[in-house]
Amino acid sequence: MSWTNFLLALIGGILCWVAWIVLAGATRTDPVVISTGSEQGIYFQVGKEIGDSYMNRHQAVRCEVIPSEGSHQNVARLQDGTADVAIVQNDAVADERVRSLAILYTEVLHLVCRKDADVECLNDLTGHSTSLGSLSGGTYSLVEELLRFSRVKIPAEHQRNLGFSQSAEALRSGDLDAAFFLVGLGSEIIEDLIASPEFELVPIQIRAVGSEGTFVSERAFIDGFRTHYPHAKVAEIPLMSYEGSPTGPMPSVGIGAVLACRADWDEELANDLVQTIFAHRAVLGRKISLLSGLDEQSSQTQLQFPLHRGAEAYFRRNEPGFLAENAESIGVLITVALLLASGLHGIKKWIDQRRKNRVDVYYGRVQQILDSIGHQRVSDFGAALLDLEEIESTTCQELIEERLDADHSFVILQNMINRCRAEIERAETAAGRT
């Protein structure tokens, strides 16, 4: 093989190696795993739409949307690293391995009852079979706290812990009189139940003590509950949200549905995902009405889990930098520093001038000795040497005390003293011969 062919082959190999590295870096082999909810539920739909938008915006990213049993399992997956992103309730219990990306929407607690059960408020549930929600979902934890706060005790034999689909079937079959559903407004499962004349929505309220026909103000009731359960929100089911029901705004309580992630998840991926959500919110809102209210400000407030650093970087992107935010203060500090530097420079010049003047005095004394050497009698040379030694000793002491600088001027002075000493010795020798 000729040298030319060898070089061409080498260059070709290097180019192929570089291309392989670039392509490998451009394509992420590990998928972004998004844990959601049941395949019939809203969590799964939301997770799928977000994953699709993410992949459409970033061709190098591949998302895998997986179903789950609910918020509790999603938290567990984030904590054990089997999921990168998940939809969880803002009141979920988690440790420092979970971080927030954004609040997506508010889930509202719905109480669906059979009309023939004659339930008007939470107090009336004590004698009826009621589903408090699946133990693996987020409904149960909220309802349990709500009933405890309301001092409503449903006997254990009347309590059921069923998922949404099972609760709906049990209501239809007559095995349940009531069921709680913590879902987004417009939920299909609620829509299907309310479409039947057998069922109705009941307000989340309690009866006033000692009064059969009046109820505690819903605002006061939920505000009181929030002192015990701070992540809850005052919410309502708007007029005619489901098949003409309710006939007026219905008080309830809500919990934020949060897009969360692992605390150690890649910051760039987290930033890109949050950016994708808000860049595509119009499209996401058309596909899922719950996402039509996406708002950057409200999406980062009252979060239980701290914001992931990637999400925080996105939300803070328009905030002025440190220099811009503190420009006025920095300007004042610079002005003061310049004035101080100018003052210090002036002081230094004054000190240097004093030292220069002091050296000049010694220049003059040494020069006087030099000028007088030619006129000295032999007996006076010793006195001249003593004067010169006294000048040398004094200047060395002042150098130690930093009243003189060990600079070029001091070197000149030392040279003058040495030259003067040599002149005295020469003159003294010459005078001795005579």
Side-chain angles (χ1 to χ4, degrees), residues 130-191:
T130 305
S131 174
L132 308 185
S134 168
L135 294 175
S136 62
T139 303
Y140 176 75
S141 56
L142 174 63
V143 172
E144 184 184 38
E145 291 297 327
L146 184 65
L147 293 177
R148 182 182 291 116
F149 170 74
S150 306
R151 299 187 178 181
V152 172
K153 296 182 179 179
I154 301 176
E157 62 269 19
H158 289 163
Q159 291 186 28
R160 303 284 296 279
N161 296 110
L162 303 176
F164 291 164
S165 298
Q166 293 89 345
S167 292
E169 289 302 318
L171 282 168
R172 292 189 180 98
S173 66
D175 290 339
L176 283 180
D177 294 327
F180 287 97
F181 300 85
L182 183 60
V183 292
L185 291 171
S187 168
E188 283 188 26
I189 198 163
I190 304 297
E191 188 84 45

Side-chain angles (χ1 to χ4, degrees), residues 22-222:
V22 171
L23 290 174
T27 304
R28 298 180 183 272
T29 56
D30 295 332
V32 175
V33 179
I34 304 176
S35 185
T36 56
S38 68
E39 294 187 29
Q40 295 75 36
I42 192 66
Y43 276 17
F44 188 83
Q45 297 175 41
V46 170
K48 188 175 184 307
E49 292 299 336
I50 289 175
D52 289 345
S53 295
Y54 196 19
M55 288 189 291
N56 289 336
R57 184 179 174 89
H58 300 280
Q59 301 297 322
V61 174
R62 183 167 59 90
C63 293
E64 181 183 346
V65 179
I66 59 174
S68 80
E69 296 179 2
S71 187
H72 293 321
Q73 186 176 23
N74 288 343
V75 166
R77 286 175 174 174
L78 291 178
Q79 291 182 159
D80 64 22
T82 55
D84 302 304
V85 179
I87 303 174
V88 302
Q89 289 174 198
N90 200 34
D91 62 341
V93 178
D95 59 26
E96 68 280 355
R97 290 173 289 179
V98 176
R99 290 290 184 270
S100 298
L101 294 173
I103 292 181
L104 299 175
Y105 59 90
T106 298
E107 296 190 302
V108 180
L109 187 63
H110 294 65
L111 175 57
V112 179
C113 301
R114 297 185 61 84
K115 286 185 180 179
D116 56 15
D118 197 25
V119 175
E120 294 183 295
C121 62
L122 297 178
N123 308 80
D124 297 333
L125 293 173
T126 54
H128 297 282
S129 58
T130 305
S131 174
L132 308 185
S134 168
L135 294 175
S136 62
T139 303
Y140 176 75
S141 56
L142 174 63
V143 172
E144 184 184 38
E145 291 297 327
L146 184 65
L147 293 177
R148 182 182 291 116
F149 170 74
S150 306
R151 299 187 178 181
V152 172
K153 296 182 179 179
I154 301 176
E157 62 269 19
H158 289 163
Q159 291 186 28
R160 303 284 296 279
N161 296 110
L162 303 176
F164 291 164
S165 298
Q166 293 89 345
S167 292
E169 289 302 318
L171 282 168
R172 292 189 180 98
S173 66
D175 290 339
L176 283 180
D177 294 327
F180 287 97
F181 300 85
L182 183 60
V183 292
L185 291 171
S187 168
E188 283 188 26
I189 198 163
I190 304 297
E191 188 84 45
D192 292 342
L193 286 170
I194 299 303
S196 170
E198 299 177 78
F199 307 110
E200 64 180 351
L201 285 169
V202 174
I204 303 299
Q205 60 185 6
I206 57 173
R207 189 173 286 112
V209 177
S211 179
E212 188 65 26
T214 59
F215 302 94
V216 174
S217 163
E218 58 268 15
R219 181 81 195 199
F221 172 54
I222 301 303

Side-chain angles (χ1 to χ4, degrees), residues 370-432:
L370 281 169
D371 292 342
S372 64
I373 288 175
H375 309 289
Q376 294 280 14
R377 296 187 306 275
V378 175
S379 60
D380 293 328
F381 290 126
L385 281 172
L386 288 175
D387 287 343
L388 196 61
E389 289 174 358
E390 189 272 333
I391 293 172
E392 187 174 31
S393 175
T394 302
T395 54
C396 288
Q397 185 62 36
E398 291 192 359
L399 180 66
I400 293 171
E401 295 172 356
E402 296 185 352
R403 298 172 68 187
L404 289 177
D405 286 329
D407 56 7
H408 186 62
S409 298
F410 189 79
V411 173
I412 293 174
L413 177 62
Q414 292 300 307
N415 290 337
M416 286 183 68
I417 291 173
N418 291 333
R419 185 164 63 89
C420 186
R421 182 179 288 109
E423 288 293 326
I424 292 172
E425 292 174 352
R426 184 190 61 75
E428 187 176 20
T429 302

